[in-house]
Amino acid sequence: MTTIEKDSYITSIEESASIISSQVGSAVVDGVFQRFGAHCVEDLNPSDLPDVFSELYAIEADLR
């Protein structure tokens, strides 16, 4: 994964996490991070970024 791809995933994860947290609370986002052994986006393994993004994006889409 290139640095640009990694940065893009991190930005997208942070945006989705913010939207989800504002609508249903941070526990949902925390639960996704915990499934990947992380407490925040900075703790995530770069190889997990696409999967975390996919999960958060799906949750965000369901909120619309």
Side-chain angles (χ1 to χ4, degrees):
M1 175 179 304
T2 67
T3 301
I4 292 172
E5 290 171 324
K6 180 181 173 188
D7 290 346
S8 179
Y9 274 118
I10 289 171
T11 299
S12 296
I13 288 168
E14 288 172 339
E15 289 173 359
S16 286
S18 176
I19 291 166
I20 294 165
S21 292
S22 72
Q23 292 190 23
V24 296
S26 62
V28 174
V29 175
D30 293 343
V32 173
F33 286 154
Q34 288 173 3
R35 281 196 295 281
F36 289 89
H39 292 70
C40 62
V41 71
E42 291 85 11
D43 292 342
L44 291 167
N45 185 319
S47 66
D48 290 332
L49 292 174
D51 293 330
V52 173
F53 169 70
S54 293
E55 284 197 36
L56 291 175
Y57 186 77
I59 294 167
E60 180 186 346
D62 285 345
L63 294 174
R64 292 181 188 179

